[in-house]
Coordinates of all heavy atoms in Angstrom, one line a residue:
A117 N -25.2 -7.6 15.9 CA -25.1 -6.9 17.1 C -23.6 -6.7 17.6 O -23.2 -5.7 18.0 CB -25.9 -7.6 18.2
V118 N -22.9 -7.8 17.5 CA -21.5 -7.8 18.0 C -20.6 -6.9 17.0 O -19.9 -6.1 17.5 CB -20.9 -9.2 18.1 CG1 -19.4 -9.2 18.4 CG2 -21.7 -10.0 19.1
S119 N -20.8 -7.2 15.7 CA -19.9 -6.4 14.8 C -20.3 -4.9 14.8 O -19.4 -4.1 14.7 CB -20.1 -7.0 13.4 OG -19.4 -6.3 12.4
G120 N -21.6 -4.6 14.8 CA -22.0 -3.2 14.9 C -21.6 -2.5 16.1 O -21.2 -1.4 16.1
G121 N -21.6 -3.2 17.3 CA -21.2 -2.6 18.5 C -19.7 -2.3 18.5 O -19.3 -1.2 19.1
T122 N -18.9 -3.1 17.9 CA -17.4 -2.9 17.9 C -17.1 -1.9 16.8 O -16.0 -1.3 16.9 CB -16.7 -4.2 17.7 OG1 -17.1 -4.8 16.5 CG2 -16.9 -5.1 18.9
S123 N -17.9 -1.7 15.7 CA -17.5 -0.9 14.6 C -18.0 0.6 14.9 O -17.7 1.4 14.0 CB -18.1 -1.4 13.3 OG -17.6 -2.7 13.0
R124 N -18.7 0.8 15.9 CA -19.2 2.2 16.2 C -18.1 3.2 16.5 O -18.2 4.4 16.4 CB -20.2 2.2 17.4 CG -21.5 1.5 17.1 CD -22.3 1.3 18.3 NE -22.6 2.6 18.9 CZ -22.3 3.0 20.1 NH1 -21.7 2.1 20.9 NH2 -22.7 4.2 20.6
R125 N -16.9 2.7 16.8 CA -15.8 3.5 17.2 C -15.2 4.3 16.0 O -14.5 5.3 16.1 CB -14.6 2.7 17.8 CG -14.0 1.8 16.9 CD -12.9 1.0 17.6 NE -12.1 0.1 16.6 CZ -12.5 -1.1 16.3 NH1 -13.6 -1.6 16.9 NH2 -11.8 -1.8 15.5
F126 N -15.5 3.8 14.7 CA -15.0 4.5 13.6 C -15.6 5.9 13.4 O -15.0 6.8 12.8 CB -15.3 3.7 12.3 CG -14.5 2.4 12.3 CD1 -15.1 1.2 12.3 CD2 -13.1 2.4 12.3 CE1 -14.4 0.0 12.2 CE2 -12.4 1.2 12.2 CZ -13.1 0.0 12.2
G127 N -16.8 6.1 13.8 CA -17.5 7.4 13.7 C -17.9 7.7 12.2 O -17.6 6.9 11.3
G128 N -18.5 8.8 12.0 CA -18.9 9.2 10.7 C -20.0 8.2 10.1 O -20.8 7.7 10.8
V129 N -19.9 8.0 8.8 CA -20.8 7.1 8.1 C -20.7 5.7 8.6 O -21.7 5.0 8.8 CB -20.6 7.2 6.6 CG1 -21.5 6.2 5.9 CG2 -20.8 8.6 6.1
A130 N -19.5 5.2 8.9 CA -19.2 3.9 9.3 C -19.9 3.7 10.7 O -20.5 2.7 11.0 CB -17.8 3.6 9.4
G131 N -19.7 4.7 11.6 CA -20.3 4.6 12.9 C -21.8 4.5 12.9 O -22.5 3.8 13.6
E132 N -22.4 5.4 12.0 CA -23.9 5.4 11.9 C -24.5 4.1 11.4 O -25.5 3.5 11.8 CB -24.3 6.6 11.0 CG -24.1 7.9 11.7 CD -25.0 8.1 12.9 OE1 -26.2 7.6 12.9 OE2 -24.5 8.7 13.9
N133 N -23.8 3.5 10.3 CA -24.3 2.3 9.8 C -24.1 1.1 10.8 O -24.9 0.2 10.9 CB -23.5 2.0 8.5 CG -24.1 2.7 7.3 OD1 -25.3 2.9 7.1 ND2 -23.2 3.2 6.4
A134 N -23.0 1.2 11.5 CA -22.7 0.1 12.5 C -23.8 0.2 13.6 O -24.3 -0.9 14.1 CB -21.3 0.3 13.1
R135 N -24.1 1.4 14.0 CA -25.1 1.5 15.1 C -26.5 1.1 14.6 O -27.2 0.4 15.3 CB -25.2 3.0 15.5 CG -26.1 3.3 16.7 CD -26.1 4.7 17.1 NE -26.5 5.6 16.0 CZ -27.7 5.9 15.8 NH1 -28.7 5.5 16.5 NH2 -28.0 6.8 14.8
A136 N -26.9 1.4 13.4 CA -28.2 1.0 12.8 C -28.2 -0.5 12.7 O -29.2 -1.2 13.0 CB -28.4 1.7 11.5
A137 N -27.1 -1.1 12.2 CA -27.1 -2.6 12.0 C -27.2 -3.3 13.4 O -27.8 -4.3 13.5 CB -25.8 -3.0 11.3
A138 N -26.4 -2.8 14.4 CA -26.5 -3.4 15.7 C -27.9 -3.3 16.3 O -28.4 -4.3 16.9 CB -25.5 -2.7 16.6
N139 N -28.5 -2.1 16.2 CA -29.9 -2.0 16.7 C -30.9 -2.9 16.0 O -31.7 -3.5 16.7 CB -30.3 -0.5 16.6 CG -29.6 0.4 17.5 OD1 -29.1 0.0 18.6 ND2 -29.6 1.7 17.2
W140 N -30.8 -3.0 14.7 CA -31.7 -3.9 14.0 C -31.4 -5.4 14.3 O -32.3 -6.2 14.5 CB -31.7 -3.7 12.5 CG -32.5 -4.7 11.8 CD1 -32.0 -5.7 11.0 CD2 -33.9 -5.0 11.9 NE1 -32.9 -6.5 10.5 CE2 -34.2 -6.1 11.1 CE3 -34.9 -4.4 12.6 CZ2 -35.4 -6.6 10.9 CZ3 -36.2 -4.9 12.4 CH2 -36.4 -6.0 11.6
G141 N -30.1 -5.7 14.4 CA -29.8 -7.1 14.7 C -30.3 -7.5 16.1 O -30.8 -8.6 16.2
L142 N -30.2 -6.7 17.1 CA -30.7 -7.0 18.4 C -32.2 -7.0 18.4 O -32.9 -7.9 19.1 CB -30.2 -6.0 19.4 CG -28.7 -6.1 19.8 CD1 -28.3 -4.9 20.7 CD2 -28.4 -7.4 20.5
T143 N -32.9 -6.1 17.6 CA -34.3 -6.1 17.5 C -34.8 -7.4 16.9 O -35.8 -8.1 17.4 CB -34.8 -4.9 16.7 OG1 -34.3 -3.7 17.4 CG2 -36.3 -4.9 16.6
Y144 N -34.2 -7.8 15.8 CA -34.6 -9.0 15.1 C -34.3 -10.2 16.0 O -35.1 -11.2 16.1 CB -33.8 -9.2 13.8 CG -34.0 -10.5 13.1 CD1 -35.2 -10.8 12.4 CD2 -33.0 -11.5 13.1 CE1 -35.4 -12.0 11.8 CE2 -33.2 -12.7 12.5 CZ -34.4 -12.9 11.9 OH -34.7 -14.2 11.2
L145 N -33.2 -10.2 16.7 CA -32.9 -11.4 17.6 C -34.0 -11.5 18.7 O -34.4 -12.6 19.1 CB -31.5 -11.2 18.2 CG -31.0 -12.2 19.2 CD1 -30.9 -13.6 18.5 CD2 -29.7 -11.8 19.8
L146 N -34.4 -10.3 19.3 CA -35.4 -10.3 20.4 C -36.7 -10.8 19.9 O -37.4 -11.7 20.5 CB -35.5 -8.9 21.0 CG -36.6 -8.7 22.0 CD1 -36.3 -9.6 23.3 CD2 -36.7 -7.3 22.4
V147 N -37.2 -10.3 18.8 CA -38.5 -10.6 18.2 C -38.5 -12.1 17.8 O -39.5 -12.8 18.0 CB -38.9 -9.7 17.1 CG1 -40.2 -10.1 16.5 CG2 -39.0 -8.3 17.5
S148 N -37.4 -12.6 17.2 CA -37.4 -14.0 16.7 C -37.4 -14.9 17.9 O -38.1 -16.0 17.9 CB -36.1 -14.2 15.9 OG -36.0 -13.4 14.8
T149 N -36.7 -14.6 19.0 CA -36.7 -15.4 20.2 C -38.1 -15.5 20.8 O -38.6 -16.5 21.2 CB -35.7 -14.9 21.2 OG1 -34.4 -14.8 20.6 CG2 -35.6 -15.8 22.4
V150 N -38.8 -14.3 20.9 CA -40.1 -14.3 21.4 C -41.1 -15.1 20.6 O -41.9 -15.9 21.1 CB -40.6 -12.8 21.5 CG1 -42.1 -12.8 21.9 CG2 -39.8 -12.1 22.6
L151 N -41.0 -15.0 19.3 CA -41.8 -15.8 18.4 C -41.6 -17.3 18.5 O -42.5 -18.1 18.5 CB -41.7 -15.4 16.9 CG -42.2 -14.0 16.6 CD1 -41.8 -13.6 15.2 CD2 -43.7 -13.9 16.8
L152 N -40.3 -17.7 18.6 CA -40.0 -19.1 18.7 C -40.5 -19.7 20.1 O -41.0 -20.8 20.1 CB -38.5 -19.4 18.6 CG -37.9 -19.1 17.2 CD1 -36.4 -19.3 17.1 CD2 -38.6 -20.0 16.1
I153 N -40.3 -18.9 21.1 CA -40.8 -19.4 22.4 C -42.3 -19.5 22.4 O -42.9 -20.4 23.0 CB -40.3 -18.4 23.5 CG1 -38.7 -18.6 23.6 CG2 -40.9 -18.8 24.9 CD1 -38.1 -17.6 24.6
S154 N -43.0 -18.5 21.8 CA -44.4 -18.5 21.7 C -44.9 -19.7 21.0 O -46.0 -20.3 21.3 CB -44.9 -17.2 21.1 OG -44.5 -16.1 21.8
H155 N -44.2 -20.1 19.9 CA -44.7 -21.2 19.2 C -44.6 -22.5 20.0 O -45.6 -23.3 20.0 CB -43.7 -21.4 18.0 CG -43.9 -22.7 17.3 ND1 -45.0 -23.0 16.5 CD2 -43.1 -23.8 17.2 CE1 -44.9 -24.2 16.0 NE2 -43.7 -24.8 16.5
F156 N -43.6 -22.7 20.8 CA -43.5 -23.9 21.6 C -44.5 -23.9 22.7 O -45.0 -24.9 23.2 CB -42.1 -24.2 22.0 CG -41.2 -24.6 20.9 CD1 -40.2 -23.7 20.4 CD2 -41.2 -25.9 20.4 CE1 -39.4 -24.1 19.4 CE2 -40.4 -26.3 19.4 CZ -39.5 -25.4 18.9
V157 N -44.7 -22.7 23.3 CA -45.7 -22.6 24.4 C -47.1 -22.9 23.9 O -47.9 -23.7 24.5 CB -45.7 -21.2 25.0 CG1 -46.8 -20.9 25.9 CG2 -44.3 -21.0 25.7
I158 N -47.5 -22.4 22.7 CA -48.8 -22.7 22.2 C -48.9 -24.1 21.8 O -49.9 -24.8 22.0 CB -49.1 -21.7 21.0 CG1 -49.1 -20.3 21.4 CG2 -50.4 -22.1 20.3 CD1 -49.3 -19.3 20.3
L159 N -47.8 -24.7 21.3 CA -47.8 -26.1 20.8 C -48.1 -27.0 22.0 O -49.0 -27.9 22.0 CB -46.5 -26.4 20.2 CG -46.3 -27.9 19.8 CD1 -47.3 -28.3 18.7 CD2 -44.9 -28.1 19.2
F160 N -47.4 -26.8 23.1 CA -47.6 -27.7 24.3 C -48.9 -27.4 25.0 O -49.5 -28.4 25.5 CB -46.4 -27.5 25.2 CG -45.1 -28.1 24.7 CD1 -44.0 -27.3 24.7 CD2 -45.0 -29.3 24.2 CE1 -42.8 -27.8 24.2 CE2 -43.8 -29.8 23.7 CZ -42.7 -29.0 23.7
S161 N -49.4 -26.2 25.0 CA -50.6 -25.9 25.7 C -51.8 -26.5 25.0 O -52.8 -26.9 25.6 CB -50.7 -24.4 25.9 OG -50.8 -23.7 24.7
L162 N -51.8 -26.4 23.6 CA -52.9 -26.9 22.9 C -52.9 -28.4 22.6 O -54.0 -28.9 22.3 CB -53.0 -26.1 21.5 CG -53.3 -24.6 21.6 CD1 -53.3 -24.0 20.2 CD2 -54.6 -24.3 22.4

Side-chain angles (χ1 to χ4, degrees):
V118 173
S119 177
T122 57
S123 300
R124 292 173 58 238
R125 66 180 185 274
F126 293 117
V129 176
E132 290 295 323
N133 280 320
R135 183 176 63 86
N139 287 337
W140 170 247
L142 288 174
T143 302
Y144 174 74
L145 181 63
L146 176 63
V147 176
S148 299
T149 304
V150 171
L151 290 174
L152 292 178
I153 293 176
S154 301
H155 168 71
F156 289 105
V157 169
I158 295 175
L159 176 64
F160 290 128
S161 61
L162 295 181

